[in-house]
Amino acid sequence: MKQTFILLITALLFCRYADAQERVIDAKDHSPIYAASILDASGNMVGFTLNDGIFSEIPASAYPVTVRSIGYEQLVIKRPEKKTWEMTPIAYELEELVVVPVKRNILKQTFYVREYFSMYNTTDTVTFFSEYMADRFVPTSKDAKFKGKSSLRILKSREYAYYQLFGQDSITTDPEAMFPSMATTFEPIVKEVTAPESFKESGNAAKLYEEPGKSGMELIKKQNDQTFTIILDGLADTKEHKMSPWQLKLLGCTMEFNQLYFTQTYRVNEEGVYQPKDMLEAGFVMQADGRGKFLRMALNSDNPIVIRSMVEYYVVDRDYLSKEEAKEEYKNKPTDVKFVIPSTVPPLSEATRRLVERANTEAKNKK
C-alpha cells in the first residue's frame, strides 16, 4: 500500500511537470535551443526558452505562438501540446573564398536588422516592430588604425507600433519613442572568437562546449557541418541571475534585467578561428522588469511592467576598403538606401505581418 501511494504521488508530480512545459531542440543534433524568442498570436513577445530549451507559463490564449532563434527557420506552434518541438537549422549557400589585398584592411559590413519590442502590464500593451538597413566599418588588422567606426550606423528605417492603452488601441508607422532602440545598444561583437580544440576533430558530428557561470551557463559554443555558433549569457555571473544598472536608477527608469543573451553564428571553417568577416547572423534577447516611476507612468501602472526585446542582425554584404575609401564612405552617408532582405531571413509571423499591413494601409489613407 505504501509503495502504491509513493508511485501515485510520483506519477502525479511527473504529469504536473510534463503538463507545464514545452521544449525546443535542434532537428539535426537534438541539442536544446537556448534563448529562442516566443511571440504570441498578437505579435507580443511573451517569453524565451531557457538553457534546456524549455519554455513555460504561456497561456493557451496566446497560441498560436511563433518561436524564433538565430540560425534556425522559425517555428509556429498552433496550440499547446506539451511536447518536444524541433527547429530546423537554416541551410546557407557556400561562398567562394575571397583573397583580401593587404592595403584593403577595412571590412565594411552591411546589415538587414529586425527589432521586436514589447512592454506591458496586466491591462495595457505596447508593441514595436522595426526594420533597419545599417553598416559598420571594422579594421581587419591591428595596423589599420580606423577606430570608432565599428559601431552600427543606421542608414534607413521602417517602424511600426501597436498600442493597447487605457481601453483604446491604435497602430502607426510613426511611433513615439517610449524606449530607446536596442539595435545600436547591443551590437554584433567584433573580437575574434576561437572554437575549442575538440571541434577540429574530423567528422560532421555536432559538437557542443559549455562553460558554467555563477548563476547560469555563461558561454555555449556549438558547431555543425555548416555553422559555428556562440551564445553568451550576460547575467550568468550576476547574483540570482539579475542586474539593475545604477545609471537607470538615477534617471527614474529603474530596470531589473533577468534575461540577457547574445548569439552569433559564423560559417564554419577548418582553422576554428572566427572573425567578423565569417559572421552570418547575430542577435540578442532581453527581458526586464521596469520598476522606475517614468517607465510605470508610460502605462499608468502601479506595478512593475514587463519589458522584452529581440534584435536580429543579418549580413547582407561585405566589402574590403582601404583606409581612405572607408573614411570617404563613412563621411558621405548614403541617402538612396534600399531594403535588402536575405533569403535566409525567416518570414514575419502572421501577427507582425498584419501589424505592418494595417499600419501601412492607415498611413496611406491619411495622405
Side-chain angles (χ1 to χ4, degrees):
M1 184 69 181
K2 182 177 180 181
Q3 289 180 335
T4 303
F5 179 75
I6 292 174
L7 288 172
L8 178 60
I9 294 299
T10 302
L12 287 172
L13 289 173
F14 175 79
C15 291
R16 181 180 178 185
Y17 178 84
D19 185 60
Q21 298 172 319
E22 311 227 19
R23 189 167 183 256
V24 182
I25 63 172
D26 186 299
K28 279 191 173 183
D29 62 25
H30 299 125
S31 63
I33 295 179
Y34 309 80
S37 301
I38 303 164
L39 286 76
D40 70 6
S42 299
N44 299 317
M45 294 183 62
V46 292
F48 309 107
T49 59
L50 304 177
N51 287 357
D52 49 12
I54 288 176
F55 66 91
S56 59
E57 299 181 2
I58 296 177
S61 59
Y63 286 77
V65 299
T66 301
V67 186
R68 297 180 66 94
S69 182
I70 289 297
Y72 292 90
E73 296 178 7
Q74 75 177 10
L75 169 69
V76 177
I77 303 176
K78 294 183 178 180
R79 59 183 180 275
E81 295 186 26
K82 316 306 177 188
K83 70 175 190 178
T84 296
W85 301 87
E86 294 185 349
M87 294 187 73
T88 304
I90 292 173
Y92 298 95
E93 294 182 4
L94 295 176
E95 293 181 339
E96 294 182 4
L97 180 65
V98 178
V99 178
V100 182
V102 175
K103 291 185 178 180
R104 302 177 73 83
N105 53 8
I106 306 296
L107 169 65
K108 177 188 175 183
Q109 287 178 304
T110 304
F111 294 88
Y112 168 67
V113 184
R114 281 181 176 172
E115 179 176 12
Y116 301 80
F117 178 88
S118 296
M119 56 190 297
Y120 57 89
N121 58 15
T122 55
T123 58
D124 300 308
T125 303
V126 175
T127 300
F128 291 102
F129 170 69
S130 304
E131 297 176 286
Y132 309 100
M133 291 300 298
D135 65 7
R136 69 176 183 180
F137 299 79
V138 182
T140 60
S141 61
K142 293 181 180 179
D143 59 348
K145 296 181 180 179
F146 193 69
K147 298 179 179 179
K149 307 297 187 297
S150 60
S151 295
L152 213 63
R153 178 176 67 164
I154 301 298
L155 304 175
K156 192 170 185 176
S157 63
R158 295 191 293 219
E159 299 172 283
Y160 309 90
Y162 175 49
Y163 301 94
Q164 284 183 304
L165 294 173
F166 321 125
Q168 300 180 349
D169 75 14
S170 60
I171 282 182
T172 179
T173 59
D174 186 26
E176 296 182 7
M178 300 178 70
F179 201 83
S181 169
M182 296 286 102
T184 55
T185 302
F186 301 105
E187 303 177 346
I189 60 175
V190 298
K191 68 178 182 179
E192 184 177 278
V193 179
T194 57
E197 284 296 319
S198 60
F199 282 24
K200 299 178 183 179
E201 298 174 359
S202 59
N204 292 329
K207 301 172 176 68
L208 177 66
Y209 168 85
E210 297 178 318
E211 190 173 301
K214 295 177 181 178
S215 60
M217 200 59 68
E218 183 174 8
L219 173 64
I220 298 163
K221 296 182 180 181
K222 300 175 64 175
Q223 182 174 302
N224 58 33
D225 59 338
Q226 279 203 318
T227 59
F228 169 79
T229 300
I230 61 168
I231 303 170
L232 297 170
D233 183 347
L235 302 177
D237 275 336
T238 60
K239 185 178 180 181
E240 297 181 347
H241 205 261
K242 296 177 181 180
M243 177 183 67
S244 184
W246 62 267
Q247 297 92 335
L248 294 177
K249 293 181 180 179
L250 294 178
L251 298 173
C253 297
T254 302
M255 288 178 59
E256 184 178 80
F257 292 88
N258 49 62
Q259 302 288 344
L260 191 62
Y261 291 98
F262 305 83
T263 303
Q264 205 135 312
T265 295
Y266 303 85
R267 190 178 306 281
V268 73
N269 62 49
E270 295 181 356
E271 293 77 22
V273 178
Y274 298 92
Q275 300 172 348
K277 66 181 179 64
D278 304 306
M279 192 180 76
L280 295 167
E281 302 176 4
F284 88 91
V285 294
M286 176 272 286
Q287 177 176 288
D289 291 331
R291 300 178 181 277
K293 61 180 180 181
F294 291 118
L295 292 173
R296 288 185 287 109
M297 283 173 58
L299 297 186
N300 193 25
S301 178
D302 294 329
N303 300 314
I305 58 176
V306 178
I307 299 171
R308 292 191 177 101
S309 179
M310 170 178 64
V311 182
E312 303 168 339
Y313 307 86
Y314 301 93
V315 177
V316 172
D317 193 20
R318 306 173 184 83
D319 196 8
Y320 289 92
L321 309 173
S322 66
K323 181 178 178 180
E324 292 71 26
E325 290 171 331
K327 281 186 175 181
E328 186 67 20
E329 288 209 20
Y330 190 84
K331 179 181 178 181
N332 299 309
K333 186 175 180 180
T335 57
D336 57 346
V337 177
K338 296 181 179 180
F339 275 92
V340 179
I341 304 177
S343 60
T344 54
V345 177
L348 295 176
S349 69
E350 185 63 24
T352 305
R353 185 187 62 79
R354 290 198 305 268
L355 163 63
V356 171
E357 290 180 351
R358 179 180 164 188
N360 286 334
T361 299
E362 292 190 6
K364 184 178 179 179
N365 291 337
K366 288 180 180 179
K367 291 182 179 181

